[in-house]
Amino acid sequence: MKNEVMAKAITGIDDELIVSAHTNTVSGGKKRKWIYICAAEACLIALFFAILSTRHKGEMKILINGTAVSDEPVFIDVPAPLTSDMRQTTSQAITVPIELIINGNSDIQATDGTIEVSSAESEDMLCVGRYYMAEESVNVRWTIEDAEFNQSYQLRLKNGVMVLVLSYDKNTGNWKIMKQ
C-alpha cells in the first residue's frame, strides 16, 4: 500500500513544478559563475595591493638638515668656513648629520671616517663605529677626522648600491655631499 501511495505522489507531480525546478538548477550554475568571477577579482585586487605595498620596501630617503640628498649637491654648513688662506694648509674634523628614512633593512658602512647611529624615534644610541645594519629609520652622524680639502670621502648604503660622496667645493667654500 505504501508503494502505491508513493507511486501516485511521484507521478502526480505537476509539470510546471518540474519545469521550474529545472530552470532554478540552470540559473544556479549562472550564480556560481558570478561567485567564481567575484572571487577571482578579489584575488587580483589583493595581489595588486600586495605588490604595491612591497614595491616601496627597501627604499630609502636621505635628508641633511631637511634637504633631500640626490645627484645634485647639498652643501654642508658645518663647520664654519675658514679663511681662504687657511683652507689650503689646514685639515679639520667635519661631522655630517644625516637622517635616513628606511623602509626595510639597509646597511650603513663608513668607507672613510666613523658613524654614530641613533634611533630616529627614541634617539637612543645604536652604534658607534664604521658599520651598522639598520632595520628602521635612523639618524647618523658621519665624522671625518682630519678632513682634507683636496680629498673626497664615501659613505656606502644598501650593500654599496648607494654611495654618498663628501667633498670640498672650492667655488662655494663649503663641503658638499651628493649621491654617486
Side-chain angles (χ1 to χ4, degrees), residues 64-65 67 69 72-78 96 166-178:
I64 295 181
N65 298 324
T67 304
V69 176
E72 295 296 318
V74 174
F75 291 96
I76 310 297
D77 294 332
V78 180
V96 182
L166 176 69
S167 61
Y168 184 74
D169 188 335
K170 293 177 184 176
N171 296 331
T172 63
N174 287 319
W175 287 91
K176 66 180 179 182
I177 192 167
M178 58 192 287

Side-chain angles (χ1 to χ4, degrees), residues 111-113 142 144 147-155 163-168 175-178 180:
T111 306
D112 304 298
W142 179 27
I144 308 290
E148 296 185 22
F149 299 113
N150 58 353
Q151 297 260 341
S152 61
Y153 303 96
Q154 293 185 354
L155 181 69
V163 178
L164 299 181
V165 177
L166 176 69
S167 61
Y168 184 74
W175 287 91
K176 66 180 179 182
I177 192 167
M178 58 192 287
Q180 185 178 25

Side-chain angles (χ1 to χ4, degrees), residues 74-107:
V74 174
F75 291 96
I76 310 297
D77 294 332
V78 180
L82 301 171
T83 64
S84 60
D85 297 339
M86 294 176 67
R87 284 198 176 106
Q88 295 169 7
T89 59
T90 306
S91 61
Q92 59 187 354
I94 183 167
T95 300
V96 182
I98 304 170
E99 181 182 354
L100 298 176
I101 301 170
I102 300 171
N103 186 3
N105 294 343
S106 180
D107 67 327

Side-chain angles (χ1 to χ4, degrees), residues 14-25:
D14 189 14
D15 289 338
E16 289 178 24
L17 188 59
I18 293 172
V19 171
S20 69
H22 179 68
T23 306
N24 287 341
T25 306

Side-chain angles (χ1 to χ4, degrees), residues 30-82:
K30 289 181 180 179
K31 286 181 184 176
R32 271 194 215 150
K33 188 184 227 182
W34 280 106
I35 290 172
Y36 292 133
I37 290 172
C38 289
E41 287 176 356
C43 289
L44 288 174
I45 290 170
L47 180 64
F48 171 75
F49 281 110
I51 290 170
L52 189 63
S53 68
T54 59
R55 180 176 163 217
H56 297 290
K57 191 148 182 105
E59 288 188 7
M60 177 184 296
K61 190 172 185 180
I62 304 165
L63 302 172
I64 295 181
N65 298 324
T67 304
V69 176
S70 66
D71 298 337
E72 295 296 318
V74 174
F75 291 96
I76 310 297
D77 294 332
V78 180
L82 301 171

